[in-house]
Amino acid sequence: MKKEEIRNNIVRVRERIRQAALAAGRDPGEIKLMLAAKYQPLENLLAAVEAGETLFGHNLIPQLETAEIGLREAAESLSDPTALRHRTAVIGHVQSNKLSAAMEYADRIDTVDNFKTARRINHRRALLNEKDAADAVYPILLQVNSAHADTQFGCAPKDLPEMAKRISEELPFVKIEGLMTIGANTADREAVIRSFEITRALGAQLRELPGLSEAKELSMGMTGDLELAVEHGSTMVRIGTAVFGPRPGAPK
Ligand SMILES: *Cc1c(COP(=O)(O)O)cnc(C)c1O
């Protein structure tokens, strides 16, 4: 896809977000745009960065690594490296043997759906802190399987509050910033809305827990359902197709 096309698509998506926010009586500034980067060549990501985008999400850790290294190299070869200031999150399932690479290359993991994974992140961050004489925390989102879909990862909604409580009580080097969900993958509007509302209600419950009053992120909404997601409380939509077009080389 051409640079110009990507730039125009971004303008269109941002306008969709703005219209959806206004229709819902929300401030458009409350909703962040994360670009879903899976299977995109580096030049497409660079085009988005040049268009002013600063947030990327990756599903696959090898692609995350390649893209981050590529963006850093591009930044070094530019006279103005701040032009490439961006943040990246992991938005796909992470196997435990990929966790340390995920933490090295991404600023946040948005798909934590069990205590054990959170404990591994905490442990890894604790080791890095020892080495660096630091007390940094690693940010995460908890992924909710809000549509009860067999094909999706995510914590069951009924188990989420207990898991969140345990993570926040027992893991000092992990910081829960909110929730992420994919939601119902269907043309049935009501089912999609139900999954977003389940997630929104869990977010409210989360913020009642000690230490989690600031866990406000609700990452939900993709190309096909971003308006519904914004209407139902999303603070971050994850958009791939509407910006980059069909994914070259992705498995069907
Ligand atoms: C691919 C993907 C997206 C973006 O989907 P589009 O429909 O292409 O916008 C968002 N979230 C996750 C987790 C994804 O895997």
Side-chain angles (χ1 to χ4, degrees):
M1 178 164 284
K2 292 203 197 68
K3 230 179 183 176
E4 229 8 73
E5 253 179 291
I6 290 174
R7 182 180 287 270
N8 291 338
N9 288 344
I10 289 170
V11 171
R12 275 190 218 108
V13 165
R14 289 209 166 270
E15 182 58 18
R16 278 177 68 183
I17 295 169
R18 200 180 75 88
Q19 291 297 341
L22 294 178
R26 298 182 61 192
D27 172 0
E30 290 173 7
I31 300 132
K32 297 179 278 296
L33 171 60
M34 172 176 279
L35 299 180
K38 59 179 180 270
Y39 296 99
Q40 298 303 332
L42 183 63
E43 62 191 39
N44 286 2
L45 307 185
L46 279 169
V49 166
E50 282 172 29
E53 294 304 317
T54 57
L55 265 181
F56 294 91
H58 276 276
N59 290 68
L60 301 166
I61 307 308
Q63 291 183 3
L64 163 74
E65 267 189 65
T66 306
E68 285 303 301
I69 291 169
L71 287 173
R72 281 174 208 177
E73 282 171 358
E76 279 163 18
S77 71
L78 290 181
S79 51
D80 178 14
T82 59
L84 284 176
R85 196 171 282 157
H86 69 278
R87 297 180 65 76
T88 304
V90 174
I91 58 172
H93 180 69
V94 193
Q95 288 171 326
S96 56
N97 62 348
K98 296 263 166 60
L99 258 186
S100 62
M103 290 174 69
E104 183 175 345
Y105 290 100
D107 302 293
R108 191 170 76 185
I109 296 177
D110 291 5
T111 52
V112 175
D113 63 3
N114 62 80
F115 181 78
K116 220 165 142 180
T117 299
R119 192 169 59 198
R120 286 199 171 99
I121 295 171
N122 185 74
H123 180 65
R124 167 111 191 117
R125 191 57 255 179
L127 290 179
L128 291 172
N129 282 346
E130 238 168 74
K131 189 161 130 292
D132 304 344
D135 60 356
V137 296
Y138 192 83
I140 62 172
L141 298 185
L142 304 178
Q143 183 178 0
V144 191
N145 188 347
S146 59
H148 308 277
D150 295 338
T151 51
Q152 289 179 26
F153 287 98
C155 178
K158 68 172 173 42
D159 299 331
L160 190 114
E162 185 55 35
M163 177 179 76
K165 184 161 177 284
R166 245 191 109 190
I167 291 173
S168 106
E169 282 176 359
E170 298 179 29
L171 306 177
F173 303 117
V174 165
K175 180 177 176 224
I176 301 172
E177 295 192 335
L179 302 178
M180 177 275 203
T181 199
I182 293 172
N185 179 15
T186 163
D188 177 355
R189 257 177 83 90
E190 294 309 315
V192 176
I193 290 172
R194 245 183 339 266
S195 59
F196 290 157
E197 281 298 328
I198 284 172
T199 310
R200 168 148 66 179
L202 283 171
Q205 272 191 50
L206 188 69
R207 290 190 296 280
E208 296 291 313
L209 295 170
L212 292 180
S213 61
E214 292 303 312
K216 290 178 181 161
E217 197 89 278
L218 274 190
S219 172
M220 53 190 202
M222 317 201 300
T223 290
D225 55 18
L226 84 81
E227 282 82 2
L228 280 183
V230 167
E231 187 181 338
H232 295 277
S234 172
T235 64
M236 176 177 282
V237 294
R238 307 177 307 270
I239 306 299
T241 309
V243 167
F244 299 120
R247 285 177 267 279
K252 290 282 170 300

